[in-house]
Amino acid sequence: MEFARLTSEQQQSFDEDGFLVVPNALSAETVDNLVEASDRLSEAFSKKPALIGRPEYNHLDLRPGLLREAALLALVTSSPAVPLVVQLLGPNIHLHSTALIYKRPEHPDEPDFRRGWHRDIRIPKDLGHGGLPRVGIKVCYCLTDFHQPNSGMTLMARGTHLRTTPLSIRKGQVDPVDAEVCDIKLNRGDALFFENRIFHTAAPNRSNRVSKVLIYGYAYRWMRPEVYLEIPDKRFLDNASPITRQLLGGYRDVDTQPWALQDWAKRYGVEPEPVPWTIDIE
Ligand SMILES: O=C(O)CCC(=O)C(=O)O
């Protein structure tokens, strides 16, 4: 996996905002290959005619089976995005989730489908909103341009990863009054990183083209991957590169060191400070 260094500006922006735009994370040729593979996976959806007044039929959120496509499997170790994730979270990570999201244009009068502000992985349901840890990062790869507002990109509430209270939404409205809602302008090939604590929501596509993204989530290895994630078989993993093997859960347990990414991080001088169990005192 080719090295890309996380800049101090990127680190600061991610720490402050809870999200980060990585321009040109994918080459034009890679996007073409991903679109071709994604269109194959979404063929049944695309063949169905759009249904007026039924936004749930005009929106695909496909999670299982993505890694059966070679181009989507290769994306698991994509550079520069994954090297940046390794520097933000550290090397003890694996792939936690995958999603292919297509949104057909929605009529302006239709209600927002799947609009719902949330934090990922449901951690606050158990621990509350205060003092939450950063345990995962999703990388949203744009397969189409998102140049106009309301063109289907996931909305982010800037800085809310540090919030200790729920968002306040006025009755009858859909967006918070006490947070800055960001509908980020992105190009095909850009990646939007967002961490598990940031409040975000699906938003409708009011443009005149289908919006397409792939979202890959990485999290610490002590977090169980989503159940739908079909890991390629043992023979594949045994022959895969060490980093692919680690990211796809090829190690026996969490007590096994994350050798592949640990070595990689050491090689490029980006390994995190060690955290000892004990310290010597006089
Ligand atoms: O469909 C979307 O844009 C929202 C995606 C989302 O909320 C998520 O991946 O957690």
Side-chain angles (χ1 to χ4, degrees):
M1 183 168 69
E2 198 180 321
F3 181 66
R5 187 173 297 281
L6 180 76
T7 65
S8 51
E9 290 78 19
Q10 286 173 317
Q11 176 83 61
Q12 188 182 348
S13 156
F14 192 63
D15 288 345
E16 286 175 6
D17 295 339
F19 63 84
L20 173 72
V21 175
V22 178
N24 302 312
L26 303 171
S27 69
E29 189 189 348
T30 304
V31 176
D32 287 345
N33 293 337
L34 289 169
V35 169
E36 201 185 305
S38 302
D39 284 353
R40 255 193 309 276
L41 289 168
S42 59
E43 202 179 343
F45 164 79
S46 305
K47 275 187 178 158
K48 279 195 262 170
L51 288 178
I52 309 293
R54 301 296 300 271
E56 67 274 27
Y57 288 105
N58 297 327
H59 186 148
L60 173 75
D61 185 337
L62 181 70
R63 294 182 180 229
L66 270 55
L67 303 184
R68 288 184 214 151
E69 284 284 346
L72 275 68
L73 183 59
L75 198 60
V76 172
T77 55
S78 173
S79 186
V82 182
L84 300 183
V85 172
V86 175
Q87 288 164 80
L88 288 164
L89 286 178
N92 191 26
I93 57 169
H94 61 180
L95 185 68
H96 182 260
S97 63
T98 53
L100 171 65
I101 301 176
Y102 278 25
K103 295 174 186 171
R104 285 183 172 135
E106 281 175 37
H107 194 275
D109 298 337
E110 280 178 7
D112 289 351
F113 173 62
R114 282 190 63 227
R115 182 67 160 246
W117 288 91
H118 64 282
R119 290 175 140 165
D120 274 340
I121 327 186
R122 302 180 71 81
I123 302 173
K125 298 286 174 191
D126 300 312
L127 303 186
H129 281 297
L132 291 173
R134 177 192 286 166
V135 295
I137 293 175
K138 280 184 174 168
V139 181
C140 173
Y141 294 104
C142 302
L143 303 185
T144 48
D145 286 327
F146 290 84
H147 288 171
Q148 310 301 329
N150 300 311
S151 55
M153 178 46 58
T154 313
L155 301 179
M156 300 286 139
R158 192 192 302 277
T160 55
H161 56 306
L162 301 177
R163 233 180 123 115
T164 56
T165 53
L167 297 179
S168 309
I169 299 181
R170 241 185 262 293
K171 272 207 177 89
Q173 304 284 305
V174 289
D175 289 328
V177 291
D178 52 357
E180 182 194 347
V181 174
C182 302
D183 188 355
I184 303 162
K185 197 171 153 188
L186 294 154
N187 293 319
R188 188 178 194 260
D190 290 351
L192 171 65
F193 286 25
F194 57 101
E195 61 136 282
N196 59 289
R197 297 174 296 176
I198 191 161
F199 282 91
H200 59 283
T201 179
N205 173 16
R206 310 273 195 222
S207 73
N208 55 12
R209 56 91 179 92
V210 177
S211 71
K212 303 181 181 182
V213 297
L214 279 162
I215 304 184
Y216 282 25
Y218 296 84
Y220 290 113
R221 287 192 308 134
W222 29 264
M223 298 198 32
R224 202 167 65 148
E226 297 284 9
V227 287
Y228 56 76
L229 206 61
E230 293 163 13
I231 296 307
D233 62 22
K234 182 169 173 341
R235 208 169 46 175
F236 170 86
L237 287 180
D238 287 348
N239 291 310
S241 77
I243 292 177
T244 301
R245 188 161 161 251
Q246 173 179 329
L247 289 174
L248 293 182
Y251 294 152
R252 193 177 128 79
D253 55 28
V254 289
D255 289 326
T256 307
Q257 296 282 315
W259 296 116
L261 283 175
Q262 213 166 259
D263 288 352
W264 180 91
K266 243 184 228 149
R267 191 174 332 135
Y268 295 107
V270 292
E271 71 273 38
E273 289 291 310
V275 178
W277 290 123
T278 61
I279 50 165
D280 295 336
I281 57 165
E282 288 304 317

